[in-house]
Amino acid sequence: MIISAAGLTRTLEYDICVIGSGPAALTFAGQFLEGRSNLKVLLVESGETLDPAYSNEHDESLSRRYNDLQTSAQALYGGRLSGWLETNKPDYLTESRLRAFGGTGNVWSGWLCAMERLDLERGKWPVSYAQMMSFYEKVCAYYQIPSRWCLDAQVQDAGGVWQSLPLPSQTFRTRPLLARRINFGQLFRERLIHSENVDVLLGANAVRIDTVACGANQSRSAHQLAFASVTEAPSSSIEHKVSASAFVIAAGCIESTRLLEVSQLGAASGALGQYFQEHFYIWNAGSFHLTENCAHYRPLYFQKKTLSVSARDSVVGMIVPTARYLTEKGGGTFRAILGGGPGIPGTLNLCCEQLPAHSNRIVLDNVATHPRTAAEARVHAHNELSAADTKTIENAVMSLGESLLSSGLITHFKPAPFDVVPTQWQAPHRLAPGNHPSGTTRMSSDPSQGVVGSDCKVHGVDNVYVASTSVFPTAGYANPTLTLMALAFRLAEKLQEHG
């Protein structure tokens, strides 16, 4: 059933209330659409329609898509930036996420890549690699994603299409990166319209989660979500309510963090809102000329476009560091994709992990031009590149250049100018955020070190969970969507088991 928040007067009652309708929320809700549970689930979305926001065409620019959707709901994403994001992407808060049915999945490029065992172990994730792998496989089966192209351990099953580059095995290896566009809104729309146990509330902006004290151990229990209709004046004091036995915050990293902060939940460890991480995307971190030795590897590596492997899927080869490299060099991990082609100079393009830093944060903005209601409370996002982050980039560029030269694949390697801070590079070199915020409700089994436990439940609250990249302790180099969906699938199974 589809419900509109406009004019709603009654309190809604459900077993599980999910805030959001993006890839995590829909993956979670999808497990309750299969008839295996009698639990009633409500998705709370601030977008006002189930109509698909976009058809996910590859050639449409992100800026155009966001500009087409500058609705009143999207405007709620405003806030304040400081650090390198303020100068390198001043519209980061409104053009890195989307308030619409299907969430930011509407403008997702479709890159799917599982984290490595090394990522989880170095980042001290409280979830084992074996458990993550089992849920990666379940997500791939659920969405019919070819796992051989996105799960690290299955690349040997990719057949003759896959070719590894001849690089020094002690420092680098290669693996594929899969592109598969999934329009989540289109995929789930009809099923949700006709569902008997999963409803969608549209046009509802989450204000806060209300809790009550329970027991003698100072824990709390959530009993309702307060929300406001996006069609009502933002300054309106009218609030509506959803009562539920469990609440799942699946509203993206930044908004999930904001909602916990407004609700005054999960702050005991001091980690809430801290450790804000972004991927550094670096285009033309180095240039080179191709040799004739590249010919055999061009379909996967030295092309302007990805290699089509099916009607829906395409792949590109990427270079990633080994455990030995990371031990010797330190810093974050990264992946490299090589551009170029016949008659086209080659380019080295990177996606680098940012190391967690307590000083990088997403917090409620205490510098406001006028008093704001809880519904209007906005964030201040601060992020700086540390010396270690800059060293990650420089080491990656120089080491990759040396390895590619020694392999005989390239000549005339010219790195980006490291006498200039990467955030101040000028064309043709460019550093930008990957629009992959993470880390601000980090996962830890120790309540003094994180916001949620290994089960994604907020520490100190009996029934509030977070299904967001905000729970990632570290970001690795992988695009986060596949890992996000695996955690959402895992959470759905847990709540189904506990009824």
Side-chain angles (χ1 to χ4, degrees):
M1 181 170 65
I2 309 305
I3 306 166
S4 172
L8 196 65
T9 57
R10 61 188 174 91
T11 294
L12 302 174
E13 297 182 2
Y14 286 84
D15 296 304
I16 302 173
C17 174
V18 182
I19 298 100
S21 72
L26 290 174
T27 298
F28 176 92
Q31 310 320 302
F32 296 86
L33 289 169
E34 308 301 325
R36 296 193 298 266
S37 171
N38 293 322
L39 296 175
K40 292 283 290 181
V41 178
L42 177 70
L43 296 177
V44 178
E45 168 55 48
S46 59
E48 298 176 72
T49 175
L50 279 185
D51 293 337
Y54 295 105
S55 59
N56 275 342
E57 293 297 330
H58 279 273
D59 60 354
E60 191 164 20
S61 72
L62 284 179
S63 61
R64 178 181 167 192
R65 297 182 209 175
Y66 282 112
N67 289 338
D68 287 346
L69 281 172
Q70 291 304 316
T71 62
S72 57
Q74 186 70 8
L76 293 168
Y77 272 158
R80 184 163 61 96
L81 292 172
S82 58
W84 74 283
L85 291 174
E86 182 180 13
T87 53
N88 287 57
K89 189 167 183 178
D91 295 324
Y92 176 79
L93 289 173
T94 54
E95 293 198 1
S96 64
R97 53 206 180 126
L98 194 63
R99 284 190 181 234
F101 179 66
T104 309
N106 283 287
V107 290
W108 173 52
S109 297
W111 296 112
L112 290 161
C113 181
M115 281 189 160
E116 296 186 36
R117 179 191 300 273
L118 184 62
D119 295 324
L120 304 185
E121 292 176 351
R122 290 179 77 236
K124 296 181 171 57
W125 282 55
V127 183
S128 71
Y129 178 72
Q131 188 176 59
M132 284 302 303
M133 185 57 66
S134 72
F135 284 97
Y136 281 139
E137 291 171 347
K138 288 180 180 182
V139 168
C140 287
Y142 184 72
Y143 287 109
Q144 298 181 336
I145 298 167
S147 59
R148 64 185 177 276
W149 292 116
C150 57
L151 302 189
D152 201 28
Q154 296 187 14
V155 67
Q156 66 270 17
D157 299 327
V161 175
W162 175 248
Q163 299 288 338
S164 296
L165 285 179
L167 298 175
S169 60
Q170 68 271 23
T171 52
F172 296 112
R173 66 185 187 89
T174 50
R175 63 177 293 200
L177 176 62
L178 173 68
R180 155 71 77 87
R181 299 298 287 270
I182 302 172
N183 191 313
F184 293 92
Q186 286 183 336
L187 183 64
F188 284 93
R189 183 178 186 273
E190 291 301 317
R191 295 171 67 192
L192 288 168
I193 288 174
H194 299 292
S195 174
E196 295 183 358
N197 62 326
V198 180
D199 295 342
V200 182
L201 174 64
L202 295 173
N205 180 44
V207 174
R208 70 180 180 280
I209 295 173
D210 294 326
T211 61
V212 295
C214 61
N217 60 354
Q218 297 186 325
S219 67
R220 301 191 68 81
S221 179
H223 64 98
Q224 65 183 17
L225 170 74
F227 67 90
S229 169
V230 298
T231 61
E232 296 168 356
S235 59
S236 171
S237 60
I238 300 174
E239 291 183 353
H240 310 281
K241 304 292 193 303
V242 179
S243 68
S245 300
F247 296 83
V248 176
I249 305 175
C253 172
I254 301 172
E255 183 64 11
S256 295
T257 305
R258 187 197 74 86
L259 185 57
L260 282 178
E261 290 174 339
V262 167
S263 305
Q264 300 182 14
L265 300 176
S269 68
L272 178 61
Q274 312 303 313
Y275 304 104
F276 168 32
Q277 300 153 60
E278 252 294 357
H279 280 143
F280 308 133
Y281 272 37
I282 305 159
W283 284 269
N284 202 342
S287 60
F288 48 83
H289 294 169
L290 308 179
T291 71
E292 61 183 15
N293 296 332
C294 289
H296 182 64
Y297 304 103
R298 274 182 180 153
L300 276 165
Y301 297 96
F302 301 96
Q303 294 286 1
K304 295 179 70 175
K305 294 185 177 181
T306 54
L307 174 67
S308 177
V309 292
S310 75
R312 301 177 62 190
D313 305 306
S314 61
V315 297
V316 63
M318 57 182 176
I319 305 171
V320 300
T322 62
R324 177 175 171 178
Y325 172 97
L326 292 171
T327 299
E328 292 178 354
K329 298 288 187 180
T333 188
F334 56 87
R335 69 162 185 256
I337 294 178
L338 307 173
I344 304 171
T347 58
L348 176 63
N349 308 289
L350 299 176
C351 171
C352 295
E353 175 187 41
Q354 182 175 31
L355 295 176
H358 189 271
S359 58
N360 290 332
R361 60 195 180 274
I362 295 173
V363 295
L364 295 179
D365 189 5
N366 58 11
V367 179
T369 56
H370 60 85
R372 296 182 181 275
T373 66
E376 296 176 287
R378 297 190 176 191
V379 298
H380 171 206
H382 175 80
N383 192 291
E384 296 281 1
L385 270 72
S386 68
D389 293 329
T390 300
K391 201 64 180 175
T392 293
I393 299 168
E394 183 175 2
N395 284 340
V397 171
M398 302 311 295
S399 299
L400 284 163
E402 291 172 8
S403 294
L404 289 165
L405 285 168
S406 65
S407 71
L409 294 170
I410 69 168
T411 62
H412 300 87
F413 181 73
K414 182 180 179 182
F418 283 99
D419 56 339
V420 178
V421 178
T423 55
Q424 297 177 8
W425 281 343
Q426 302 295 319
H429 315 291
R430 186 164 68 95
L431 183 146
N435 295 341
H436 302 155
S438 66
T440 47
T441 68
R442 65 194 339 244
M443 190 192 312
S444 175
S445 297
D446 183 349
S448 70
Q449 299 296 315
V451 177
V452 304
S454 61
D455 57 359
C456 294
K457 184 177 73 67
V458 176
H459 288 304
V461 189
D462 289 348
N463 58 345
V464 176
Y465 302 82
V466 181
S468 161
T469 57
S470 61
V471 307
F472 291 14
T474 53
Y477 62 76
N479 296 65
T481 305
L482 185 62
T483 300
L484 172 63
M485 292 192 294
L487 290 174
F489 202 113
R490 174 174 171 261
L491 178 57
E493 282 199 358
K494 171 186 169 59
L495 294 188
Q496 284 178 326
E497 290 170 1
H498 290 78

